[in-house]
Amino acid sequence: MTIVTTAYAVDPSVTRRQKIENRIASRAVSALLAAGYWLAVCQGDEEEQPATTLKREIMRDLGECDEDRLIVYNADLTRIGWVHLVYGNAGWDVISDYTTNLEPQLIPASQYAENL
């Protein structure tokens, strides 16, 4: 028997969706970092966090709002694109939009989402 420690029961479908969103976002972040990019998280209407190459920090900042933008910078910290993440839909569709120049780097995340 599972004991629920919160004031409400968590819907298993919500937990499943959140795990899917996290896996897809994690693949996108990994691929962008592997390509040598720096990433900054912009949560909703808030100012963006400082750009970093530390996946742990990026993933920590994702998912705190209904939507995030990953702002993508090249090695000299020139902004080159963005990825818009929207949470709370089906899960596989968490990558809502992105600048097309990043499409090659987002292939691992897109293929994972398509296979769900």
Side-chain angles (χ1 to χ4, degrees):
M1 180 176 164
T2 302
I3 300 173
V4 178
T5 58
T6 60
Y8 57 90
V10 177
D11 183 343
S13 66
V14 171
T15 301
R16 181 176 183 278
R17 176 190 46 79
Q18 289 172 332
K19 286 180 182 178
I20 290 169
E21 290 170 344
N22 187 284
R23 288 182 194 133
I24 294 168
S26 178
R27 280 172 172 77
V29 168
S30 291
L32 291 166
L33 292 174
Y37 296 128
W38 288 64
L39 304 176
V41 176
C42 185
Q43 301 168 326
D45 293 332
E46 301 292 320
E47 287 189 27
E48 67 186 64
Q49 303 296 316
T52 182
T53 57
L54 298 175
K55 183 177 180 182
R56 178 183 70 254
E57 289 182 14
I58 297 162
M59 294 305 296
R60 180 197 63 216
D61 292 337
L62 290 178
E64 294 182 11
C65 299
D66 293 334
E67 60 185 90
D68 292 313
R69 282 194 191 270
L70 283 172
I71 310 301
V72 183
Y73 297 88
N74 63 16
D76 68 2
L77 295 181
T78 301
R79 184 176 172 165
I80 62 155
W82 49 264
V83 179
H84 186 201
L85 304 170
V86 177
Y87 309 104
N89 295 313
W92 58 265
D93 56 350
V94 67
I95 297 177
S96 173
D97 199 6
Y98 51 87
T99 53
T100 57
N101 61 315
L102 299 175
E103 191 163 6
Q105 290 77 28
L106 295 174
I107 288 173
S110 296
Q111 286 178 338
Y112 180 78
E114 287 174 15
N115 290 327
L116 292 177

